[in-house]
Amino acid sequence: MKICPICNIEKPLEEYHKYFSKERQKYRIASYCKVCSCQVSKKNAIKNYYENKSKKLEYAKKYREENKEWIKAKR
């Protein structure tokens, strides 16, 4: 059992993601439960999108121009 620092609810370890720590060379249990980590990552993804929206749109436009023939053949 572990307590999630975001929701402050004690949950079993199956409710947490596992990840491999290269530094310690073993699997670790994540700090946040699966539900809270999903909510946090969605917020961060939305924030990142709006902070870098112009860069992303510029990159997509450049990619379409450089790969016009490939995209046309794919369709």
Side-chain angles (χ1 to χ4, degrees), residues 23-63:
E23 184 177 300
R24 297 185 182 186
Q25 293 296 308
K26 63 180 180 179
Y27 283 94
R28 307 287 313 264
I29 305 291
S31 299
Y32 307 133
C33 65
K34 290 180 181 179
V35 175
C36 292
S37 66
C38 182
Q39 292 171 349
V40 169
S41 65
K42 280 183 183 178
K43 287 179 187 176
N44 289 340
I46 291 169
K47 179 183 170 188
N48 183 35
Y49 175 77
Y50 285 111
E51 286 177 354
N52 300 308
K53 187 174 181 179
S54 61
K55 290 180 188 176
K56 289 177 183 283
L57 293 175
E58 189 176 310
Y59 172 81
K61 184 177 181 180
K62 182 181 173 187
Y63 179 84

